[in-house]
């Protein structure tokens, strides 16, 4: 309001000037009025919204969670963020000794990060295999020239493709080329595999339907006794997508607020700024306060959807069939049916939610002469309950 008033007075009192002098005077005037307002309100600094609390260094005491962890889908090992890729690559490579076809498919989809390039290469391989399956009597389809331009541009550039061809029965051979001196290298399908065309079709379907092997986020589910510290979150640096330098820069955003207020912003500028705010956090730590005061805690991706949060809570309930509601701060109801991301609901980088049973269902249970079970969480979770410190 102070900024808007300052801009209005300046526009009325003086003609529109050109050059940096006019902008500087506006900024200075806005700064003075904002600082005056902050002094009246008892705050020595210019107020700012969406402040980023500097994350605590790992190893610091009283962290709400020690870090962000993942589970390898191939080995079940628990991994830190910086261990994910190396562990998954090692697991895939070790799988070659037991199932080379599956391992080569996982390598193609996981080791190559450009998904468009992977799709193009996989579709080209599928075309090769389709030609063999549809025309088993034609010898030309059983041979793939390695120096062929399509092979070089679409397949040779991808990790794992050579292992795949060899795993499904192709062999490298030097063969003569008509109207050309010298031989060239080809992949040639063995006669044994040619006699089993259904195996090629099966491998093709495996290749087309496969997805990259990704480490799964470990929820690090924990249960705490009722605590006055429920709304206090000291997060490690893992939860922030910002570098240390970027975090320091975010601390200087309070002075940048003066700059933004002194310039009229378009709708596009405001939307861009909102998107930048949403991208600040990679993960979020959520606590759900249950009717008995106990706290259920879990780690989520900031862009996960509300149904994932509801599923996490439901998995912990003794009576998981009973409908319930989750409320954010201020009583905002979070609907399980809405496919909103957690960061779109303002639940980043941490939030305390309130759990409540569906009142209508509870009344129906009581009307039927039954009493709802007083136990909310599953016994195995209650046996590991902790004190929040």
């Amino acid at each position: 309001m102070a900024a808007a008033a300052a801009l209005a007075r300046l526009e009325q009192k003086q003609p529109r000037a050109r050059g940096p002098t006019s902008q500087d005077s506006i900024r200075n005037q806005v700064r003075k009025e904002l600082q005056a307002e902050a002094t009246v309100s008892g705050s020595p600094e210019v107020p700012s919204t969406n402040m980023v609390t500097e994350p605590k260094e790992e190893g610091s005491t009283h962290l709400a969670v020690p870090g962000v962890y993942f589970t390898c889908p191939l080995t079940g090992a628990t991994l830190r963020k910086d261990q994910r890729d190396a562990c998954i690559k090692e697991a895939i490579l070790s799988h070659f000794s037991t199932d080379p076809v599956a391992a080569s498919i996982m390598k193609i989809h996981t080791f190559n990060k450009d998904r468009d390039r992977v799709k193009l290469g996989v579709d080209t391989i599928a075309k090769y295999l389709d030609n063999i399956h549809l025309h088993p009597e034609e010898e030309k389809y059983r041979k793939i020239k390695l120096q062929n331009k399509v092979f070089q541009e679409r397949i040779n550039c991808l990790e794992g493709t050579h292992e795949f061809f060899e795993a499904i029965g192709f062999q490298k051979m030097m063969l003569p080329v008509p109207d050309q001196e010298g031989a060239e290298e080809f992949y040639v399908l063995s006669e044994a595999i040619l006699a089993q065309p259904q195996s090629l079709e099966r491998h093709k379907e495996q290749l087309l339907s496969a997805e990259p092997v990704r480490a799964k986020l470990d929820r690090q589910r924990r249960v705490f006794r009722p605590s006055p510290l429920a709304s206090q979150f000291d997060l490690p640096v893992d939860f922030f997508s910002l570098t240390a330098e970027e975090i320091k820069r975010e601390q200087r955003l309070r002075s940048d607020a003066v700059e933004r207020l002194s310039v009229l912003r378009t709708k596009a500028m405001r939307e861009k700024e909102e998107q930048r705010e949403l991208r600040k956090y990679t993960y979020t730590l959520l606590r759900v306060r249950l009717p008995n005061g106990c706290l259920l805690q879990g780690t989520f991706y900031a862009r996960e959807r509300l149904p994932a949060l509801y599923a996490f809570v439901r998995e912990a309930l003794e009576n998981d069939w009973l409908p319930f509601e989750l409320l954010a701060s201020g009583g905002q109801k979070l609907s399980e049916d809405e496919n909103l991301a957690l960061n779109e609901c303002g639940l980043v980088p941490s939030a305390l939610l309130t759990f409540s049973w569906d009142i209508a269902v509870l009344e129906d249970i009581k009307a039927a002469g039954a009493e709802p079970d007083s136990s909310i969480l599953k016994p195995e979770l209650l046996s590991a309950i902790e004190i929040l410190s």
Side-chain angles (χ1 to χ4, degrees):
M1 292 173 63
L7 286 171
R9 286 195 298 276
L10 285 168
E11 288 177 354
Q12 291 174 358
K13 291 180 181 180
Q14 58 190 34
R16 187 175 300 275
R18 295 182 178 179
T21 304
S22 177
Q23 287 294 325
D24 290 342
S25 63
I26 293 175
R27 294 189 189 103
N28 291 335
Q29 184 66 25
V30 172
R31 184 178 290 107
K32 289 178 183 178
E33 300 231 1
L34 288 175
Q35 288 173 344
E37 182 180 326
T39 303
V40 172
S41 64
S43 173
E45 297 184 2
V46 176
S48 175
T49 59
N50 294 328
M51 287 296 296
V52 178
T53 303
E54 187 168 352
K56 300 295 183 68
E57 290 295 331
E58 187 148 343
S60 173
T61 57
H62 305 305
L63 284 175
V65 67
V68 177
Y69 291 86
F70 299 82
T71 303
C72 176
L74 301 178
T75 65
T78 301
L79 312 168
R80 287 293 313 275
K81 280 201 307 181
D82 55 356
Q83 298 172 328
R84 287 177 297 175
D85 292 345
C87 178
I88 288 176
K89 284 187 177 183
E90 183 180 347
I92 291 174
L93 294 176
S94 65
H95 202 60
F96 272 97
S97 60
T98 56
D99 191 343
V101 175
S104 61
I105 291 174
M106 287 189 287
K107 186 174 182 179
I108 291 171
H109 284 278
T110 307
F111 284 30
N112 303 288
K113 302 303 181 184
D114 189 331
R115 299 305 303 157
D116 291 335
R117 187 179 288 270
V118 169
K119 185 180 186 311
L120 182 61
V122 165
D123 288 345
T124 304
I125 295 174
K127 183 64 176 177
Y128 283 142
L129 300 184
D130 276 338
N131 286 337
I132 296 172
H133 181 70
L134 296 173
H135 310 282
E137 72 288 347
E138 296 197 36
E139 185 180 353
K140 65 177 182 178
Y141 290 123
R142 295 179 235 160
K143 299 185 294 184
I144 302 173
K145 184 179 178 182
L146 270 65
Q147 293 304 315
N148 178 278
K149 182 179 180 182
V150 171
F151 186 91
Q152 286 292 318
E153 292 180 352
R154 300 184 183 183
I155 298 175
N156 189 60
C157 59
L158 298 176
E159 290 190 65
T161 51
H162 288 280
E163 290 94 330
F164 175 76
F165 277 110
E166 292 169 9
I168 65 175
F170 281 87
Q171 299 170 339
K172 283 185 179 180
M173 292 184 180
M174 298 299 295
L175 300 176
V177 179
D179 302 324
Q180 179 178 312
E181 291 186 9
E184 288 199 25
E185 197 169 28
F186 285 77
Y187 270 130
V188 180
L189 187 64
S190 67
E191 292 293 336
I193 299 300
L194 188 61
Q196 302 174 353
Q198 68 278 6
S199 66
L200 289 181
E201 187 67 15
R202 184 174 68 254
H203 297 326
K204 183 198 77 172
E205 294 302 326
Q206 284 179 268
L207 179 65
L208 289 172
S209 62
E211 294 289 339
V213 180
R214 298 283 184 256
K216 184 179 179 181
L217 180 65
D218 189 339
R219 297 289 188 209
Q220 299 185 74
R221 182 168 54 194
R222 300 168 72 182
V223 177
F224 298 103
R225 297 186 185 279
S227 170
L229 303 176
S231 60
Q232 295 183 18
F233 297 85
D234 288 332
L235 300 176
V237 294
D238 288 357
F239 276 75
F240 298 81
S241 58
L242 306 177
T243 65
E245 184 59 33
E246 287 172 329
I247 291 171
K248 292 178 182 178
R249 187 169 66 247
E250 290 295 330
Q251 297 299 317
R252 297 194 293 269
L253 283 179
R254 282 172 289 187
S255 59
D256 293 344
V258 175
E259 189 81 18
R260 292 199 303 272
L261 288 171
S262 65
V263 178
L264 295 177
R265 294 182 297 156
T266 65
K267 180 181 178 182
M269 292 169 65
R270 292 194 301 272
E271 290 177 349
K272 183 177 180 180
E273 197 167 282
E274 289 170 2
Q275 289 299 316
R276 186 177 65 85
E277 289 294 316
L278 291 178
R279 288 194 297 268
K280 274 184 187 175
Y281 309 104
T282 307
Y283 310 98
T284 183
L285 186 68
L286 301 180
R287 288 180 186 150
V288 179
R289 196 201 305 272
L290 303 169
N292 60 5
C294 291
L295 303 166
L296 175 65
Q297 177 177 289
T299 302
F300 296 81
Y301 286 108
R303 297 186 184 185
E304 281 192 80
R305 306 286 167 172
L306 286 176
L309 171 60
Y310 268 82
F312 168 76
V313 175
R314 186 171 286 109
E315 288 171 1
L317 300 178
E318 177 70 5
N319 295 312
D320 57 4
W321 58 273
L322 280 174
F324 61 89
E325 295 179 348
L326 295 176
L327 302 178
S329 59
Q332 174 196 359
K333 181 181 176 181
L334 304 174
S335 175
E336 183 176 8
D337 297 330
E338 289 187 273
N339 199 33
L340 293 175
L342 300 177
N343 58 0
E344 293 175 335
C345 300
L347 304 181
V348 293
S350 58
L352 175 63
L353 309 171
T354 301
F355 174 103
S356 63
W357 294 113
D358 187 296
I359 297 176
V361 174
L362 289 181
E363 290 177 350
D364 289 342
I365 293 175
K366 292 179 180 179
E371 285 293 330
D373 194 338
S374 59
S375 177
I376 300 175
L377 295 175
K378 292 179 178 177
E380 59 267 27
L381 294 178
L382 290 174
S383 65
I385 196 166
E386 305 173 56
I387 296 176
L388 185 61
S389 60

